[in-house]
Amino acid sequence: MSLVLNEEEIMLRDSAAGFLAETANVDAFRKHRDNPPPAGFDQALWGSIAEMGWCGIAIDEAHGGLGYGFTGLGLIIEQMGKNLTVSPFNSTVLMAGTAIAQFGTEAQKQEWLPKIAAGEVVMALAIQEGSHFDLDSLSTSVSAQGDSFAVKAEKRQVLDAIGADAYVVVGKDVSGYQAFIVTADQVSVQDQSMVDARSSGTVVIDISLSADAQMDPQSLNSGGLERALDIMNIGLAAELLGVSVEAFERTVGYLRERKQFGKVIGSFQGLQHRAADLFAELELCKAIVLKGLRAVDAGDDLGGLASAVKAKLAQISQRATNEGVQMHGGIGMTDEYDIGFFIKRARVLEHTLGDFHYHLDRYALQGGY
Amino acid sequence: MSLVLNEEEIMLRDSAAGFLAETANVDAFRKHRDNPPPAGFDQALWGSIAEMGWCGIAIDEAHGGLGYGFTGLGLIIEQMGKNLTVSPFNSTVLMAGTAIAQFGTEAQKQEWLPKIAAGEVVMALAIQEGSHFDLDSLSTSVSAQGDSFAVKAEKRQVLDAIGADAYVVVGKDVSGYQAFIVTADQVSVQDQSMVDARSSGTVVIDISLSADAQMDPQSLNSGGLERALDIMNIGLAAELLGVSVEAFERTVGYLRERKQFGKVIGSFQGLQHRAADLFAELELCKAIVLKGLRAVDAGDDLGGLASAVKAKLAQISQRATNEGVQMHGGIGMTDEYDIGFFIKRARVLEHTLGDFHYHLDRYALQGGY
Amino acid sequence: MSDLNTFRTETRSWLEANCPESMRVPIRSFEDIYNGGRNPEMSHPDQKIWCDRMAERGWTVPEWPKAYGGGGLSKAEAKVLREEMARIGARSPLDSFGISMLGPALLKFGNEDQKLEHLPPIVRGEIRWCQGYSEPNAGSDLASLATRAEDKGDHYIVNGQKIWTSYADKADWIFCLVRTDNTGSKHEGISFVLFDMATPGVTTRPIKLISGSSPFCETFFDDVPVLKKNLVGEEGKGWTIAKYLLTHEREMISSFGAASGKKTLGQRAADNMGTDASGRLRAGTLRSVIAQYQLDTLAFAATMEKVTAEAKAGQGLGPASSIFKYYGTELNKRRNELLLSVEGESALGWDGEEYNEGEIARAWLRSKGNSIEGGTSEVQLNIVAKRVLGLPDA
Amino acid sequence: MSDLNTFRTETRSWLEANCPESMRVPIRSFEDIYNGGRNPEMSHPDQKIWCDRMAERGWTVPEWPKAYGGGGLSKAEAKVLREEMARIGARSPLDSFGISMLGPALLKFGNEDQKLEHLPPIVRGEIRWCQGYSEPNAGSDLASLATRAEDKGDHYIVNGQKIWTSYADKADWIFCLVRTDNTGSKHEGISFVLFDMATPGVTTRPIKLISGSSPFCETFFDDVPVLKKNLVGEEGKGWTIAKYLLTHEREMISSFGAASGKKTLGQRAADNMGTDASGRLRAGTLRSVIAQYQLDTLAFAATMEKVTAEAKAGQGLGPASSIFKYYGTELNKRRNELLLSVEGESALGWDGEEYNEGEIARAWLRSKGNSIEGGTSEVQLNIVAKRVLGLPDA
């Protein structure tokens, strides 16, 4: 596991950067925000993303993917973070895709993974119940009834709920975690717009499901759920990295140009030291995100590391985006200027699947204290 | 309760400042450090302190004191902090004196408080057992045997243990807290020099005591112990305030004079902002210490406030003294220069009767979360 | 003393007779605050009636001299009036920048004609004022403003642009900093002028913030004529007036730090996230950050209490007052960050009833501006470093 | 490859035959490290024997050219030697500033005579060197040094004072920055000279730190004659050599940040202070600070790993390397602060067996110097701001 990108990975990153900067950049995000499409995302962009093969990058070849691994996926997601790209990529590929790969039955993998890889389906992960993500307090929302299952649940903060064709629903019954793949016609969805102008929603399920909808309880309860969530959190951290680095670079650019008191404000040592310290933290972020991605690909145990990655990125993304607004001054507070978008996106990403405090606590527990 | 000093208080503070700056200043501390007197303190200085009436300032008139209150006591202790004055003032007056006033029997008050007020006795508080102060985990070191008590305890971190004539020993048995006044001939003491060149020690007690040595269990167990400790912690915070303000003022003075790169280093905005932020924190410290002292005198409930005062001063004294060394640069690291004394004194004061974390936790608990 | 008692009795009965019942109901929204002006906005018609009745006695601004329409009350009488209004829960009849900002400046720096012309309409709530200070290219460096006022004999012609002019779209007149001279240092050549926002050449455009709509506007001046009689103080000496008003403004903004609401953040977290058997918040690492916030809030409140007590005791405003704006606004930002952590993702909603129209998220985003407006935190730290600590310029 | 295998076989058997058993025991104290010199300090007489044997083959400095007494080994061979030494746990035969600092500088900037004169005694551990850089009135602004070297034809006369000269009281020779010209900018006119510490006019005095005794000294030069043949590089161009060596030094100091010891601070705290039923450290607010420290330590280690991997992959030293000194030393300070919180008052003892002679407290105090020596944290941040972020000078 080497913490250096190889040539192929650098090419992938650069081509993702080029494509997104052209077609799914911050201007495109603003248009989306001001005029959100009914499905919650831009179908044409989603088509292009699928065409480039990004959806299948981390899915194995046996299931229609490229088998290229999560480091590549993370590099793409990072670029999406830099560009504030809106698409159901996280919900479908990072979240549902990972969940199915980790604890789907073979039949489910055969059915869904090729569709995900081809960008033919939009999926979402429905797991959270309260206003904080907390795996320990999932209510008993699933009960087996002979061969079928009565699933009754109200899931909140389901990313891209409104546009999804199907959902991975994770709940709990007396035997442990239970998960199902449920199609859009089997649920009711209440859509919500979040502070980052993304679509999130409440998904209500109250239905009897046949056994083939059930995901593999064995994998699910022997670490598969935790591993899936760890992978997702590392992926989210990659997006936070992109958000943070972009906010920082825009801010440093502003410091180099903006004049006050007859001087470029970047010449003030007070701001210089804050920027330099933040630069140091962002270098740490780059390294730990790459370490996380490589660990996923290496099949390493992820417990403590994934929470470390998410916690670190949650924290530094807050600082980078907050400093972005503060160092821009008044103009940073206006909606007309883009820097405020980053603070909003960072905070929603942080809270998705556990915020800073959730993961810092988990990291400490995994460290034995 | 007004957070402003009256004229009399200002006079008291200024006269304490004047006396200590002349006779018990940082040079005197250095001499003490390099050549500690056998009793652990300077008898002549102690005599002068007693002559000025400082020992009785917070003891009521019925017990030989001046009944002037704790605000006055705090002002004196703050000045001792600024001057790094070494004396058994804290152990005798602030700690043992407060303990006896709060949970001594009337006979004990009659016997000991006038002696404390007159500076005729040196006393110490023996309560801590482990390496962290923790009221909840006192071991059961006391047991009643008819009219007498078998007291068996090993008490650590007893401030000024070596020079004390008598000890207030606080322990616990099945009925709750138990406390006794024990004379020097009844204990064995192992002296230790701390990082701040003060004397602290381990006191071993293994003796049968008659009933008149027992302090009032009723007062002790109905909040008297907590109140006594709260008062002591507010007093220690007053000393931390003096230590912090002095370290800060010396540092700002240095920033105004020291030149690097052709400029006075105090002109660098990076240092300016850190100094200004620290100034703000120290203003908060001044206000909250005064609030704590006034609350003691007003007889207010102290629980959360005392821990808030100690926690805030613990934290900011660390910052002020650390910044002191860092901003002085290399010279700040040398033993020849005085600034390093402040970092050492601050840390020992912080740990006495509960450090930052102990009190932050207690403050939160008292706040209901 | 008996005079005061008489005053109290008379005031009480006058208020009983003249304060409409509807004006004794607590304020619930921004619309309940009456700002006056040519086209006043009201949530209830009694607002204007109440203002008019109070204005007739000069009691909208009780301590201003009677000559300028004020109440001419002594400090003691004004205190009685406040107490009697509080007794029946009477609302403030009129709030305006004219009262809080321009009035004090005119009383101090204006000439007799200006006081007689402008103060009475402020007292009566007839003219609403806004403040033209900040400019897009000046920012923290307010004095480098570029809006020009060209001398045309009996009048100036003003050209330029202002930003962050609160309620410029609703105000009737503006008090405005303009540059009448380019030759000296940047603090010289600034003048303080007044003009009607209805003058041809004035246009305004509201500013949307990252938190949503706001009272702020951009204001553009295109060949706006301003009569010289509307110059306050000497030409080129407007910076003195500006500084006077800025100090005023900072004191107002620094009150952000005082935590509002009855429950502490810690208690709110305990309700929301639960505590363990020992009474500690379950979210352990969040708990310590909350405790640190509460601790600093307590210490900051003590500091404000101490400074107020010292000022009352005649010891003057100590150096601690210079930290209020900085510390208070940073605290408020911390509070808003922590509220998100306590409330979780449901606080990150932007629209919709379930999310209370994004109330928490919008307040969080709005708080980011606290440490920018009215002098950035960086400028505040510069001021402390230089004026209080005596550290030299770079 | 077969050459290397041969080399490995031969090296193995030579080491087996020549490395004394006593030199295969792990180093336990500073005295176990052999620094050589005219009056070498030793904890065991085998130290000199082992050094002499290795020096004979040039293996105290395996990669230096044979012409200067070095081993003349290729990188691959040197790696084999290191591996074979590690295999039997052989100690490093010689550690010195001559090897780590002066040698590389002479190889790069020295003339042939200087290399021939000075390098072989370094290889043989005969001459111990110290570094004369810092001065009391220069501090972070190293280039403003004032020690003068007056031109006297074939020699200089040096007058002045150095500070923070590590082991000056034990060194035989010094490599020293002196000012040979006052007329240009402060970076010009600095020269790099070598002289014997036994020269009349040189005196040293050890410096006691807040943590106790230290290797640092003050060094005074009073009319010290230095032959011109001992000028390295051009007169007045010594700053280039100094910068080269400073970078070197910072890389060495930044390794402070790598946490030593097997147990994490969190585990140590858990052992010391106990955990609750859920496995969480009882001291809740301390726990979150420890977790934050561990998190940053993990991320910092990953950063060092990443930079090393990039350098190995031929991508050069990325900008991240510029943060090592700053971040590593700040981390080490945090670690030492936390150790005190974990260990409690017993770690604040200064003397006596019970307190292990104040080991923890002394390490804590010593760590305060990490962010000062070798370029303060402030200087490091300046460098990042200017060189990496491209922010302009004030």
Side-chain angles (χ1 to χ4, degrees), chain C residues 96-115:
Chain C
S96 79
F97 287 153
I99 293 174
S100 62
M101 306 285 288
L102 179 64
L106 275 188
L107 285 167
K108 198 171 164 76
F109 300 99
N111 61 35
E112 194 58 24
D113 285 351
Q114 289 166 339
K115 291 179 196 171

Side-chain angles (χ1 to χ4, degrees), chain B residues 50 61 84 202 220 246:
Chain B
E61 289 168 280
L84 301 177
T202 302
L220 194 61
E246 180 66 20

Side-chain angles (χ1 to χ4, degrees), chain B residues 70 90-105 108-109 112-113 116 123-127 167-170 179-181 215-216 219-220 224-225 227-229 231-232:
Chain B
F70 281 89
N90 278 357
S91 49
T92 306
V93 177
L94 177 66
M95 296 166 79
T98 301
I100 295 170
Q102 290 295 325
F103 52 81
T105 62
Q108 287 165 337
K109 290 181 192 176
W112 293 101
L113 292 181
I116 291 176
M123 294 188 77
L125 175 70
I127 181 167
Y167 303 83
V168 171
V169 181
V170 181
F180 302 89
I181 300 181
M215 299 181 83
D216 180 15
S219 314
L220 194 61
L225 177 59
R227 184 168 183 85
L229 290 167
I231 294 172
M232 296 175 208

